[in-house]
Amino acid sequence: MEETLKKKDKILSAADIRTTFHTHGRTVQAVRGVSLYVESGEILAVVGESGSGKSVLMKSVMGLMPDNAEVKADQLTFAGQDMLGMDQEQLRKMRGKEMAMIFQDPMTALNPLKTIGSHLMEVLKRHRGMDKEAAKKEAVAVLNQVGIPSPEKRLGQYPHEFSGGMRQRVLIAMALCCKPKLLIADEPTTALDVTIQAQILDLLKSLQEETGMSIILITHDLGVVASLSHRIAVMYGGLLMEEGTTEEIFYTPKHPYTRALLHAVPKPHSGSKERLEPIPGMAPSLIDPPSGCPFAERCKFACERCTKEIPQYRTYSTTQRALCIYSGEELDHKEGEVESHG
Amino acid sequence: MARYILKRILTAIPMVFLITVLCFALMHFAPYDAIDAMTTPKMSQETINLIKAKYGYDQPVYVQYIRWLDGIMNGNFGYSIVTKQSIASDLAVRLPNTVKLVLPAYLTAYFLAVVLGLLAGANKNKRTDKIIDAISSVGIAVPSFWFAMLLIFALGYKLKILPIVGMHAVGKESSIADFLKHFIMPFLTLTVSFMPANIKYVRSSTLTQFSEDYVMVQRAFGATKSEIMFKHVCKNVLLPVVTRFGMAFRLLITGSIITETVFSWPGVGPYFIKAIQGMDYPIVMIILVLSSTMVILGNLFSDILYCLIDPRIKEMG
Ligand SMILES: Nc1ncnc2c1ncn2[C@@H]1O[C@H](COP(=O)(O)OP(=O)(O)O)[C@@H](O)[C@H]1O
Ligand code: SF4
Ligand SMILES: [Mg+2]
């Protein structure tokens, strides 16, 4: 009984997603078996350095991968529907309606030759079957909702007449047109100024509260999500390294990579003098991924075992698990050793 | 925007002026000049001087230039040295013949290029694309006179279904059917020569557009393939394509010199070739001036059109 209730609450549930690119005779394993879920009404942050496979994972979920990519999964359920059994046409009809996605660079995301109004009205006509008049009215309403001043006037303007932040708002408005159950925001603020970043994130949070939709917020910056997300999933080298509630990730992180990421986040209350500790080394190549733990090359706890096999998940609570051969406790212990020796 | 257009027009004027100076200078300093064409070594110096005076060649260079320029502006293009005919009235007959051939060929080539280029670009690396791309590569490599010869050999000589030279059969000047018969081969030759480069252009511009972010965004919002193609990509591809029309202005004068010559089409082409061969330099000069002026006008036209249809430029100036 409890099991079914819990399942119902999950808007998205994916098991073992694997995405492989075939280019020029080489294969790139961008996503190497990721399982994750999103509860309805929550903000899940997916965090990881660039190149860790976050965008590919999300595009795989949306069915947006190009022809040279192969997406496999054991399970992909959205709002009770089995997406794996759907054909291209069924997936297309869901996109922009039940699940929407916005992207990193708002400057290039809009067609430069079409007005903001026609961008919005196209979606409304397509998915909600509105006529021109109704679509126009609704477009004004959603522009209002995302905080764009004088929306009637803005409707007739072209993308180049909008700033980056305003364009991202337009894209969010496009996403809101059909009141989707899930909004995937792929680094929506990376291309924007810091002050604008905060405004857009606030907007996303308040829209989430207002509409009750779920949001997957992708970012490479853990600092951004602390006050925003309910849960956090940490990705590295095409794998999910750790997931947990925001509290768990910030206060009791288990995985060495998560810990390293946290060291790289400026602490809001500490003086600006404190130096950030960047993670040494580079993200692994996904062309010939290491056979063992992808983080092994950069992990200060790495031992021989780490390079031999991909570790198993250890579960720490109903919400937290991490992919490391060592438990959190063992790592705490080792950390103590390292510090006392160093 | 109006200011931008005005600025563009104002910069075009000195360019045209410069071209007339350049053409005049080129011809003036050429080793062989109009006087050489009109005189014979046996003539006495007095006779030569008389001829010089008659045509104004005894005046200083700048006076000659100003007279010449003044003539052009008044539609007086001067006279052929060889035939003594008015160049303006020669061109009045020949230019329409060239336009009659080039314009339909260019429009056809452009229309087909847009259709085929979009088709290829939308089916990147699929069979349709590969076939279209291969055909246009071959088309670029094949010289148009060679293709014309092929047509003449097949349709004119072997099958004998089409006349090989001219625009009309003698005595059938008002027959449209007769005109069309003469028209087909040079028309095909020109169309085939204009098309391949344009196909490549449209194709690569389509490919670029399909890789733009907004296409991914449209897909993420559930747009169908044809919506993406016709509501989004097409517009962006056609914008530069339409404005490329300006570049074709020049072709209306000198766009089919080879084809017209091969088929003895009574247009500007054979007239120009003959003038070059006969050192009939006033004709050469006028045609160069007209053709370069068309280049400048064409660019001006392109810029203004761009300005009118691209919302990003409307804001400027
Ligand atoms: N179209 C593609 N073809 C081949 N490889 C790709 C393609 N798109 C992404 N990749 C590879 O997949 C990996 C993950 O990329 P991505 O998901 O964009 O990372 P990020 O976490 O920064 O969003 C990268 O190594 C990238 O090189
Ligand atoms: S498995 Fe080994 S290399 Fe990977 S994170 Fe754990 S300790 Fe580090
Ligand atoms: Mg990304």
Side-chain angles (χ1 to χ4, degrees), chain A residues 25 60 62 77 283 321 327 329:
Chain A
S60 303
M62 291 279 291
T77 317
R321 61 187 180 127
S327 70
E329 260 174 51

Side-chain angles (χ1 to χ4, degrees), chain A residues 104-337:
Chain A
Q104 179 167 344
D105 188 356
M107 299 314 274
T108 56
L110 296 166
N111 184 340
L113 298 185
K114 303 203 94 177
T115 61
I116 300 310
S118 65
H119 276 94
L120 292 164
M121 284 155 66
E122 250 174 51
V123 177
L124 290 163
K125 286 181 198 163
R126 178 185 308 140
H127 288 312
R128 290 175 65 184
M130 291 183 163
D131 62 18
K132 207 177 162 199
E133 278 313 300
K136 201 166 177 177
K137 257 180 137 172
E138 184 66 17
V140 170
V142 284
L143 283 183
N144 237 329
Q145 199 181 0
V146 298
I148 291 182
S150 47
E152 286 92 353
K153 193 181 123 226
R154 293 297 233 165
L155 226 46
Q157 293 183 338
Y158 288 89
H160 73 272
E161 297 171 75
F162 286 66
S163 66
M166 281 295 160
R167 285 190 214 188
Q168 197 56 285
R169 282 175 197 263
V170 169
L171 282 154
I172 295 171
M174 264 172 87
L176 290 181
C177 278
C178 299
K179 307 191 179 5
K181 298 190 181 86
L182 173 66
L183 170 65
I184 300 175
D186 188 351
E187 310 208 25
T189 62
T190 303
L192 304 174
D193 293 346
V194 184
T195 46
I196 311 290
Q197 274 186 27
Q199 289 171 11
I200 296 289
L201 292 172
D202 284 347
L203 174 68
L204 284 175
K205 186 161 179 79
S206 66
L207 286 173
Q208 191 279 319
E209 282 161 6
E210 213 174 289
T211 63
M213 68 181 167
S214 308
I215 295 181
I216 299 180
L217 178 66
I218 298 169
T219 172
H220 60 252
D221 183 358
L222 246 187
V224 155
V225 298
S227 62
L228 215 65
S229 62
H230 302 102
R231 286 190 310 117
I232 295 174
V234 179
M235 268 190 86
Y236 187 85
L239 286 167
L240 198 70
M241 288 302 184
E242 180 166 9
E243 68 173 332
T245 62
T246 302
E247 286 74 30
E248 283 167 338
I249 296 294
F250 273 89
Y251 297 115
T252 56
K254 304 299 182 193
H255 196 281
Y257 179 60
T258 313
R259 294 178 181 197
L261 271 184
L262 283 166
H263 279 295
V265 175
K267 296 196 181 69
H269 300 298
S270 61
S272 56
K273 272 188 196 148
E274 183 174 347
R275 281 248 313 279
L276 297 181
E277 216 179 290
I279 309 172
M282 288 219 325
S285 156
L286 296 173
I287 294 174
D288 288 305
S291 52
C293 172
F295 191 50
E297 262 181 50
R298 299 163 74 186
C299 179
K300 59 180 171 185
F301 307 110
C303 63
E304 222 190 296
R305 244 174 84 210
C306 301
T307 57
K308 291 233 170 82
E309 59 195 289
I310 292 181
Q312 300 287 313
Y313 283 103
R314 280 175 194 261
T315 306
Y316 296 94
S317 72
T318 53
T319 45
Q320 189 176 21
R321 61 187 180 127
L323 191 71
C324 177
I325 57 167
Y326 297 117
S327 70
E329 260 174 51
E330 285 168 313
L331 290 169
D332 291 339
H333 188 71
K334 280 176 172 285
E335 191 123 32
E337 268 177 19

Side-chain angles (χ1 to χ4, degrees), chain A residues 50-51 53-56 59 104 186-187 218:
Chain A
S50 90
K54 307 180 296 293
S55 300
V56 171
K59 285 180 188 167
Q104 179 167 344
D186 188 351
E187 310 208 25
I218 298 169

Side-chain angles (χ1 to χ4, degrees), chain A residues 16-36:
Chain A
D16 205 16
I17 297 185
R18 287 149 286 154
T19 303
T20 313
F21 290 101
H22 302 281
T23 32
H24 311 297
R26 287 197 305 195
T27 56
V28 178
Q29 299 182 10
V31 177
R32 302 169 64 196
V34 170
S35 303
L36 89 179

Side-chain angles (χ1 to χ4, degrees), chain B residues 27 62 65 213 244 270 299:
Chain B
M27 283 301 155
Y62 70 91
Y65 169 73
D213 282 356
R244 249 166 82 94
N299 277 334

